[in-house]
Amino acid sequence: MNGKSSDWDSLLLRSEELVKQDVDVPRVERDIYQIEQFSEHLRSRVAQGDPTAKYLDASRLLAQEGLNPREYTLALQNFQIMPVSEDVQQQRGADVDSYVQQVHQSVSAAAIQMAHENAISSFEKHIDSYLDSTWQKQKKALFHAGDQFGAPVPALSKRDASNFVLRGKAAKYADVVKALNAAIANGTKIDAVSMFTDACKVSSQSSKDSAGTTLLRLWTICKRMLAGVSDIPASAVSQKQMLMIDGVKSYLEDNFCAHMQSVVQHHRTVATLGGHPDKSRLVEAYLRVKEKNRGPLDFDSPGGVDTVWARIYFCLRAGYTKEAKDIIALKVKNDYSSSAGEWIEEWIDGGCKPLTGEMAATALAESEKLLASSHGEGELRQSYMAAVCALAAGSARCADCLSRDFHSFFPTIEDYTWFRLSLIRVDGSKRIGSIGSSRLELYTLADFQSQINQYSAAHYSKGGQEPLLYAAVLLMSLQADKAIEYLATNKSTHEFRIDSVHFAICMWYHRVLDGSETSVSASSVHQYAYSLIHQDVSLALEYYIIASLVMGGSLEVKGRLLKELLTESHAYGVLLGSGGAVSEGGALAVFFPDRQHRLEVLQSVAQECASAAQFEEAVELYMVAERPAHALRILNHRIAEAIEMSSTEYAGDDTVLELCSRAEAAEEAIYTKDEFSGREKEAFEQLKIIYKIIKNWRSGNHHEVLEHLWELGFIPSDRYRVQACVHHLKGSHPAVVGMIQSILLAGGEALMKLEKPDLLHILVSFAAAIPDRISQQAYQRLSEYQTFLA
């Protein structure tokens, strides 16, 4: 400090000496303290270090410690001091209650603000997910729009037409269809539904949806439903319906048995089934699991919960009728004063068909009394006893009450279906019986189907997540046509299009579906057959034959479909064989072994081709079908058209000669001497003469024209034969009549050139007598020829 003061003193002395000297220097108007202050400020500015160097040093230090300096910089830039409640709220009082109230208000305001922000964020996420879902649905609909019947796509392995193979279940199905066609051709019967079921079982592509409903399950339902149906006459509708209902019930009962075993297996401790279970023990074990919350049950502990009617019901539900009768004999007849045991045994002995008469009315009254006195879900005995009585009475009204008062009584659609099927009466009067105020009404299959159809497919398929479940429901309600339509047309069943085709074939073969051209079943089989035409024509024929039968089996339908197959594939050799219709080597002979039937089908196909203006195919098919006269008729019309064309251009001559060659072959093949054949042969001869007339007219050989003109019997050479020739012309072949104008013009010009006015006058008179066969322009031209000679 002393050193610094001496320095300042010496500096001050020197300054004073400078001031005393007369030197022209600027004067400083600051005192010593101001100078010191400014000096310190200048020194601090000069002594300031480089900030970049310090920043680099700090970054190196942080990096040595494994820290990211950029993250710390950003954190410091975003650093914000959040105020607490004491900072923003003025504490007006010192008591705890006011403080708590102020804190509660601030927390509530913050919660409201946070909820508002969350609501906005959730809404934006919902909108994004909804738009994405909508886009996915629209994209899927777009892909499906152009492929309503996409069955062949996943089933075909197509490299080229000569290396085509079916794979997976489509190939298995095709083998069954071939066996089916062979059986039909041989007049034998096969178990088609079992073969289709085995094909689905063997196939590695047995599709399965998310909830486990499989195609194999659908085929199993069909197998049980159709067992023995083919042996029943078509007129026995009621008998067929009852047999199908019994088949579905049998399937549902076996399915419930498997369900009970599964439940017991998964709850072994509660079920306590034991090592040697019988059917009664299985039902008891199932009840231990199902009613475990009710406490001890009567078969485990005397005085426990009464399960007699529950055991009877579940025995019936599982098809254990003998065990149900044993329980009735042991418990109901001895322990209950009611006579229910007797008529329930009567009902079981009658095949579990609804009772009639007084017994039915008694069962109905008992069921209604139990339902009226019940108090809801908790009453085990009353609910199951009422259910058994309702089954015996066949009362749908009681079933409705069970569904309404005991919401969990039918936990699955299978339970509901079994119960409703058990109520159905397929015959009998509308009024079965009555007692007191109780009346029994007939519950029919149509009533059950109407109840099922009250809800859409989405209700049964869980919004489309389990599409095959709805198909199973339709099959179990004996609505096979709707099940096939659902599989064939619904968007959610796109992958099961092939299966819908073969379900339709199976149902038709077992006479569940009637043949109809307009049905969805027939359309699906036809479309699938058409998709195979350019891949494997022999396999396509297999499906076309089945399609024709599903569409009614008439000769017209067979002809139309076979025409489509032939004209689309052009595989005449494969289908007809090298020897034509009578050949045994063609694929067609396999399905129509009877020669006469095969000829009739081919004739029908030829007629379809002719109606569709496919004349080439029609002529060939008529020749193959041994109908050469019909082929000659088509050729005569085509020859007339070609001659007409050759009158204006020489290019038509080759066509005429080719057609004439084919017509001569057809003429030679005609062995019969009927009126139709004779008319066609005569027309062909006349057309050959007409061609000579037109050809010479075009070349200017008028003598040749007249020479051939008088060979036609309907051209008059004498004025007395004009009317006779007019009558003759009216009975001539249409192909010949259509050429009359060209014939008259050629003859008229030749008569004018050769100056034969009398014959020309006769020709003009003949033309005037047939005004509907000749145009006004052509008649004026003939009149000009006559005027020229006059």
Side-chain angles (χ1 to χ4, degrees):
M1 177 64 73
N2 293 330
K4 289 183 179 181
S5 300
S6 60
D7 292 339
W8 279 109
D9 291 340
S10 62
L11 182 61
L12 180 60
L13 290 173
R14 292 178 60 186
S15 299
E16 290 178 349
E17 290 177 355
L18 288 173
V19 170
K20 292 177 179 180
Q21 295 177 3
D22 191 10
V23 181
D24 190 11
V25 294
R27 298 185 65 82
V28 180
E29 299 295 337
R30 296 182 179 86
D31 57 18
I32 188 62
Y33 298 106
Q34 291 175 334
I35 293 174
E36 184 179 5
Q37 182 179 0
F38 283 111
S39 299
E40 290 292 339
H41 179 66
L42 179 62
R43 181 183 177 185
S44 64
R45 290 179 59 186
V46 172
Q48 184 176 358
D50 187 4
T52 304
K54 292 182 179 180
Y55 177 79
L56 293 176
D57 292 340
S59 298
R60 292 191 191 98
L61 180 62
L62 291 172
Q64 291 175 1
E65 298 297 328
L67 301 175
N68 189 348
R70 181 174 179 81
E71 291 183 359
Y72 279 92
T73 302
L74 293 175
L76 289 173
Q77 290 175 353
N78 297 327
F79 181 76
Q80 182 180 0
I81 299 177
M82 300 296 295
V84 296
S85 60
E86 291 82 357
D87 297 329
V88 298
Q89 294 180 356
Q90 183 179 359
Q91 303 295 330
R92 296 184 178 89
D95 58 312
V96 177
D97 292 339
S98 61
Y99 173 76
V100 171
Q101 182 179 2
Q102 292 173 6
V103 171
H104 175 71
Q105 291 175 353
S106 63
V107 170
S108 299
I112 292 172
Q113 183 178 3
M114 185 177 298
H116 177 68
E117 294 175 354
N118 292 338
I120 294 175
S121 176
S122 299
F123 176 75
E124 292 176 349
K125 291 181 179 179
H126 171 72
I127 291 297
D128 291 341
S129 63
Y130 175 77
L131 292 175
D132 182 67
S133 175
T134 303
W135 161 244
Q136 294 296 335
K137 291 180 180 178
Q138 292 177 349
K139 182 173 69 173
K140 187 176 181 180
L142 178 63
F143 288 155
H144 292 170
D147 189 17
Q148 181 181 1
F149 188 83
V153 175
L156 303 184
S157 177
K158 175 183 173 184
R159 301 179 183 87
D160 52 59
S162 61
N163 193 25
F164 165 79
V165 291
L166 283 175
R167 56 183 172 83
K169 62 184 175 185
K172 300 292 183 181
Y173 284 154
D175 292 339
V176 178
V177 170
K178 292 176 182 178
L180 196 63
N181 277 328
I184 294 173
N186 297 330
T188 59
K189 290 185 178 181
I190 61 173
D191 189 2
V193 65
S194 297
M195 296 177 69
F196 278 121
T197 304
D198 293 340
C200 183
K201 188 183 302 182
V202 171
S203 172
S204 60
Q205 294 184 356
S206 182
S207 301
K208 182 175 180 179
D209 60 32
S210 59
T213 304
T214 62
L215 283 171
L216 183 59
R217 181 188 179 190
L218 297 186
W219 282 116
T220 304
I221 295 173
C222 290
K223 182 177 180 180
R224 301 293 291 272
M225 180 176 67
L226 300 177
V229 171
S230 300
D231 300 329
I232 299 177
S235 58
V237 178
S238 298
Q239 185 180 355
K240 181 183 294 186
Q241 284 185 354
M242 200 68 251
L243 187 62
M244 294 172 67
I245 289 173
D246 290 343
V248 174
K249 285 179 59 181
S250 175
Y251 164 79
L252 292 172
E253 289 165 358
D254 290 349
N255 195 46
F256 184 73
C257 292
H259 167 69
M260 287 197 301
Q261 292 172 354
S262 176
V263 170
V264 170
Q265 183 71 18
H266 285 82
H267 301 82
R268 297 181 182 179
T269 304
V270 178
T272 61
L273 181 59
H276 301 283
D278 56 14
K279 295 177 180 180
S280 298
R281 298 292 180 269
L282 176 61
V283 172
E284 292 174 357
Y286 176 72
L287 279 172
R288 288 190 188 99
V289 178
K290 180 176 175 60
E291 308 296 341
K292 62 183 178 181
N293 296 326
R294 292 182 180 271
L297 304 181
D298 58 351
F299 51 79
D300 289 331
S301 173
V305 178
D306 188 352
T307 63
V308 172
W309 289 101
R311 281 182 281 164
I312 293 173
Y313 176 80
F314 285 116
C315 283
L316 296 173
R317 176 67 181 88
Y320 301 160
T321 55
K322 179 181 179 300
E323 286 71 17
K325 290 179 66 175
D326 292 342
I327 297 173
I328 292 171
L330 181 64
K331 295 291 184 179
V332 176
K333 289 185 177 181
N334 295 332
D335 297 346
Y336 294 89
S337 59
S338 171
S339 62
E342 297 179 1
W343 41 260
I344 291 177
E345 284 187 340
E346 181 75 18
W347 171 68
I348 293 175
D349 293 338
C352 296
K353 303 295 187 298
L355 298 171
T356 58
E358 292 300 322
M359 282 190 174
T362 304
L364 174 62
E366 185 73 20
S367 180
E368 289 180 341
K369 182 180 69 174
L370 291 167
L371 291 171
S373 61
S374 67
H375 300 289
E377 295 283 349
E379 301 184 3
L380 187 66
R381 174 184 174 276
Q382 283 185 280
S383 61
Y384 285 105
M385 184 177 180
V388 175
C389 293
L391 287 172
S395 174
R397 187 168 63 251
C398 292
D400 294 336
C401 292
L402 279 170
S403 300
R404 183 184 67 246
D405 298 340
F406 303 92
H407 302 294
S408 60
F409 195 85
F410 302 116
T412 66
I413 187 62
E414 288 85 356
D415 294 318
Y416 178 83
T417 301
W418 177 85
F419 198 93
R420 290 285 176 172
L421 289 174
S422 300
L423 305 178
I424 291 174
R425 303 176 190 267
V426 296
D427 53 7
S429 60
K430 186 69 178 176
R431 184 70 54 78
I432 305 303
S434 62
I435 181 170
S437 61
S438 300
R439 293 182 179 179
L440 283 173
E441 298 293 332
L442 180 68
Y443 184 69
T444 65
L445 179 61
D447 296 330
F448 175 51
Q449 292 173 347
S450 177
Q451 289 177 326
I452 291 294
N453 296 334
Q454 286 179 353
Y455 303 97
S456 64
H459 173 78
Y460 298 100
S461 62
K462 302 176 184 178
Q465 296 179 0
E466 193 176 349
L468 292 182
L469 180 57
Y470 181 55
V473 171
L474 291 174
L475 286 174
M476 290 187 295
S477 59
L478 275 62
Q479 300 184 83
D481 53 344
K482 290 189 176 182
I484 293 169
E485 181 178 357
Y486 170 72
L487 292 174
T489 60
N490 194 274
K491 292 181 180 179
S492 63
T493 58
H494 179 76
E495 61 180 304
F496 307 115
R497 296 293 192 256
I498 292 179
D499 305 283
S500 70
V501 172
H502 297 88
F503 275 118
I505 294 173
C506 180
M507 293 297 176
W508 166 83
Y509 181 75
H510 288 280
R511 295 188 290 184
V512 174
L513 296 179
D514 296 328
S516 173
E517 293 187 51
T518 59
S519 66
V520 175
S521 300
S523 176
S524 63
V525 179
H526 180 203
Q527 291 183 40
Y528 185 71
Y530 183 84
S531 69
L532 298 172
I533 288 180
H534 300 292
Q535 317 302 332
D536 187 340
V537 68
S538 297
L539 182 60
L541 177 61
E542 301 270 0
Y543 280 95
Y544 262 95
I545 297 300
I546 287 289
S548 67
L549 297 174
V550 177
M551 294 171 69
S554 66
L555 191 61
E556 179 186 359
V557 170
K558 291 180 179 180
R560 186 170 70 250
L561 294 185
L562 187 56
K563 184 263 303 185
E564 180 180 272
L565 177 60
L566 287 171
T567 55
E568 288 288 335
S569 66
H570 299 286
Y572 295 97
V574 175
L575 298 174
L576 303 180
S578 59
V582 294
S583 173
E584 299 298 329
L588 192 64
V590 177
F591 304 102
F592 302 105
D594 182 69
R595 179 178 179 275
Q596 187 60 35
H597 190 195
R598 193 158 65 246
L599 294 178
E600 290 176 357
V601 171
L602 287 174
Q603 183 179 358
S604 177
V605 176
Q607 290 173 353
E608 290 289 336
C609 291
S611 300
Q614 296 174 318
F615 300 117
E616 291 291 335
E617 292 83 357
V619 169
E620 293 300 326
L621 288 171
Y622 272 129
M623 294 297 292
V624 171
E626 299 181 2
R627 298 293 187 274
H630 293 77
L632 185 57
R633 179 183 59 182
I634 295 175
L635 289 170
N636 283 337
H637 284 282
R638 298 199 63 201
I639 290 171
E641 294 173 0
I643 292 173
E644 194 70 40
M645 183 178 64
S646 69
S647 64
T648 57
E649 55 184 46
Y650 288 93
D653 289 340
D654 294 337
T655 304
V656 174
L657 294 175
E658 179 187 355
L659 292 172
C660 287
S661 175
R662 297 173 65 185
E664 288 173 356
E667 187 179 28
E668 292 177 358
I670 297 176
Y671 299 108
T672 60
K673 295 184 179 180
D674 56 277
E675 181 180 355
F676 177 75
S677 301
R679 177 181 170 84
E680 297 300 331
K681 293 169 70 174
E682 180 186 5
F684 177 53
E685 296 299 327
Q686 290 175 339
L687 287 171
K688 289 194 290 185
I689 295 173
I690 294 171
Y691 175 58
K692 295 176 182 178
I693 293 173
I694 299 301
K695 186 176 180 181
N696 285 294
W697 175 40
R698 189 181 64 203
S699 303
N701 300 325
H702 301 298
H703 287 285
E704 297 291 334
V705 170
L706 293 181
E707 181 181 346
H708 296 296
L709 183 65
W710 310 123
E711 295 179 13
L712 298 174
F714 53 82
I715 299 298
S717 58
D718 189 322
R719 62 188 179 88
Y720 299 107
R721 295 188 62 248
V722 171
Q723 290 302 321
C725 290
V726 170
H727 181 73
H728 187 184
L729 181 65
K730 290 181 180 179
S732 298
H733 195 282
V736 175
V737 173
M739 298 293 301
I740 190 62
Q741 179 172 296
S742 298
I743 296 170
L744 294 178
L745 289 176
E749 183 176 342
L751 292 172
M752 182 197 69
K753 294 292 185 180
L754 299 176
E755 298 181 353
K756 297 181 181 295
D758 295 337
L759 292 175
L760 181 57
H761 177 72
I762 295 172
L763 198 66
V764 173
S765 299
F766 176 69
I770 52 171
D772 55 333
R773 299 298 181 184
I774 187 171
S775 66
Q776 186 66 27
Q777 183 181 3
Y779 182 76
Q780 290 178 357
R781 189 173 176 183
L782 289 172
S783 299
E784 290 174 0
Y785 292 159
Q786 188 177 15
T787 303
F788 179 78
L789 290 180

